[in-house]
Amino acid sequence: GRQQGRLYYDMIQTDASINRGNSGGPLINALGEVIGVNTAIYSESGGSGGVGVAVPAAKAQRIIEELRHNGKVDRAYYTGFQIVQVTERIANALELDRASGLLITQVDPGSPAQEAGLKPYDVILTVSDAPIENGEDYWARLYDYRPGDTVTFNILRDGTPVAIPLQIGRQKD
């Protein structure tokens, strides 16, 4: 789901009432175990009726550990390629079945993308098995990773599916 341009992936959907008072509090299951952190509500009226979403506990735990050790969440990832949305025109030109995915337009010399073997005209279809329809999908997926993590890009190269592991680099200041 999404709320005001913010992307949420791998969230828990709940019918538990979430309002301004308990956002950030624990989501508890019937056994009294913490399974998530209440995050947002989607409602027509803006009230607490509607669909609630929570960050799964494991994801929250990872972020808490990161904050504890580094004082911040490291999202300075660097892959070293530029992308554009695959449009109907691009799909036709590359003889693709449908207009989805991302076309790599440029790969920076010496970048993690070049080291991994990604090339211009590769079409990114999935990132670690998550389907990538557009740039939002891509950035939301990358949000789950940190510099140093290895991510598998499933691409189409000249009509052939290829899986390419890429170790995410760190943005230079």
Side-chain angles (χ1 to χ4, degrees), residues 9-171:
Y9 274 69
D10 303 325
M11 299 297 278
I12 297 169
Q13 183 176 319
T14 174
D15 58 1
S17 176
I18 297 176
N19 52 44
R20 286 193 176 89
N22 65 3
S23 178
L27 178 65
I28 311 280
N29 69 10
L31 301 174
E33 298 161 336
V34 175
I35 58 168
V37 178
N38 295 322
T39 303
I41 185 87
Y42 303 115
S43 70
E44 298 297 309
S45 67
S48 56
V51 176
V53 289
V55 176
K59 192 173 190 175
Q61 194 74 43
R62 203 176 72 208
I63 291 168
I64 290 164
E65 285 303 308
E66 206 169 341
L67 290 170
R68 188 176 287 149
H69 288 102
N70 308 332
K72 65 184 185 359
V73 175
D74 185 355
R75 292 214 169 95
Y77 18 62
Y78 174 60
T79 52
F81 59 80
Q82 262 101 59
I83 45 179
V84 295
Q85 174 72 46
V86 172
T87 60
E88 286 294 337
R89 269 183 53 207
I90 292 170
N92 290 338
L94 296 176
E95 298 174 1
L96 302 174
D97 296 342
R98 59 196 199 105
S100 79
L102 297 172
L103 176 71
I104 296 178
T105 56
Q106 184 183 325
V107 175
D108 302 341
S111 67
Q114 188 188 45
E115 287 171 25
L118 288 171
K119 297 183 161 93
Y121 299 106
D122 287 347
V123 177
I124 300 170
L125 301 175
T126 71
V127 172
S128 293
D129 296 331
I132 303 296
E133 296 280 325
N134 53 40
E136 281 185 355
D137 286 351
Y138 171 73
W139 288 110
R141 189 43 58 201
L142 214 61
Y143 221 55
D144 285 340
Y145 298 98
R146 301 292 177 263
D149 289 351
T150 297
V151 178
T152 302
F153 285 82
N154 288 299
I155 61 158
L156 213 51
R157 178 176 289 161
D158 301 324
T160 307
V162 186
I164 295 189
L166 177 144
Q167 186 176 24
I168 297 172
R170 181 170 272 103
Q171 199 80 294

